[in-house]
Amino acid sequence: MPATFVVVPMWQGSVSSRAMSHADGAAAIRGDLPAAATVVVDVPVEAGDALGTGVRRYSALRRVRELTEEALAAVPDWALTVGGDCSASLAAVAHASRRADGDVAVLWLDAHPDLNTPETSPSGGFGGMTLRAIAGDGADGLALDADTRVPPARLVLGGIRAIDDEEQRFIDEHDVTVLTVEDLSDPTMVIAALQDTGASQVFVHIDLDVLDPSALAGLSYPMPFGIDTATLVALLRAIVAAFPLAGAAIAGFAPASPEAAEDDLPTILRLVAALTSRPARDADDAASDTSA
């Protein structure tokens, strides 16, 4: 079955001065998705409160997670989740992990590893903690549980260019695979890294700041020396051909204006097309691929 698009116009995980633009970005992408295959999560407008967790806007983030999981539970096959900020991937990975019975690796394409905790985060923004929560660490109600978490051995980071001290410690302690921007230009290297995790299905997370700022203007945290669009599209097509997708997410679009969003949308839609270029296959197909 083809993908269902789940649009999550959330901004509460970002601490950028342009945080609320993430909701505008999700809405802009939604306008070019097929309406019949698109579900929109009604994200609360309020910022929410930390409630002593060390996570800014924690109450709103937890509510968005609940609403997104409800929407994803009704998806018949795999979902391409469209944020919003990177926090949208939390519920998306949980859904993918359930679909794959835990047999899933996460390819995290992002300029940042997002591996902080409430105790180590320099900002308190959950966007910078999302992957750590996916691995099972973090505030109650946000960190994934034992049934859905993805262990560090099944994380592959790509295009990372800004790493905090705690994130580096976690990467070193757990020997997390980190691929450079240059590595991403060789799909065989990325596919081999995913195969090495032992998982037969893959969740692909794309924070658009993995792209070089010359490729996309609507970024709240532009980082130089990122991947170019054509290379990323080629990589995604290769991954979709090699693995069934348990799920995917595109996040981090923060356009400065509706006019600016229009300029960036063709680039984003190329990524959407690459991720949906082949229907997801079932687990039996995946097992035969990885055992071949």
Side-chain angles (χ1 to χ4, degrees):
M1 294 181 66
T4 298
F5 301 97
V6 177
V7 179
V8 189
M10 66 185 302
W11 58 274
Q12 290 92 338
S14 172
V15 293
S16 164
S17 60
R18 292 171 58 178
M20 296 187 75
S21 297
H22 288 94
D24 298 332
I29 298 170
R30 172 195 176 189
D32 281 320
L33 300 177
T38 301
V39 177
V40 181
V41 175
D42 187 15
V43 173
V45 296
E46 63 268 16
D49 190 85
L51 300 181
T53 62
V55 179
R56 292 175 63 176
R57 310 183 183 116
Y58 167 83
S59 60
L61 290 163
R62 183 159 181 175
R63 180 58 178 153
V64 174
R65 176 187 174 180
E66 293 168 352
L67 292 170
T68 305
E69 290 191 333
E70 289 173 9
L72 287 164
V75 172
D77 197 73
W78 72 282
L80 200 170
T81 300
V82 176
D85 65 71
C86 286
S87 308
S89 283
L90 181 71
V93 172
H95 174 257
S97 183
R98 290 188 190 97
R99 283 194 67 243
D101 292 326
D103 183 20
V104 63
V106 172
L107 176 61
W108 197 260
L109 300 173
D110 197 318
H112 310 85
D114 297 342
L115 284 170
N116 273 301
T117 68
E119 294 74 28
T120 67
S121 169
S123 68
F126 184 69
M129 310 179 204
T130 304
L131 187 56
R132 188 69 171 266
I134 287 169
D137 296 335
D140 289 344
L142 294 179
L144 298 189
D145 60 24
D147 293 332
T148 55
R149 72 180 185 88
V150 180
R154 288 195 165 181
L155 304 178
V156 177
L157 312 183
I160 306 300
R161 309 190 293 286
I163 306 177
D164 292 333
D165 290 345
E166 168 59 19
E167 295 174 315
Q168 188 64 61
R169 186 204 65 77
F170 183 88
I171 288 168
D172 293 342
E173 178 181 335
H174 295 282
D175 197 23
V176 176
T177 299
V178 179
L179 303 175
T180 66
V181 170
E182 291 73 21
D183 293 336
L184 299 182
S185 66
D186 182 358
T188 62
M189 181 179 294
V190 182
I191 289 168
L194 291 168
Q195 289 173 333
D196 286 346
T197 69
S200 65
Q201 300 189 52
V202 174
F203 181 96
V204 179
H205 163 94
I206 304 168
D207 184 334
L208 292 167
D209 67 15
V210 74
L211 289 165
D212 191 82
S214 64
L216 197 83
L219 301 172
S220 53
Y221 293 106
M223 292 289 298
F225 310 116
I227 192 172
D228 66 84
T229 305
T231 303
L232 181 54
V233 167
L235 172 62
L236 296 177
R237 289 187 178 277
I239 290 168
V240 170
F243 298 94
L245 292 186
I250 294 176
F253 186 34
S257 67
E259 294 74 22
E262 289 296 323
D263 292 339
D264 281 337
L265 282 172
T267 295
I268 297 169
L269 294 175
R270 287 181 66 187
L271 305 181
V272 172
L275 288 167
T276 57
S277 60
R278 180 174 178 178
R281 299 164 295 168
D282 62 30
D284 290 339
D285 291 336
S288 65
D289 284 350
T290 55
S291 63

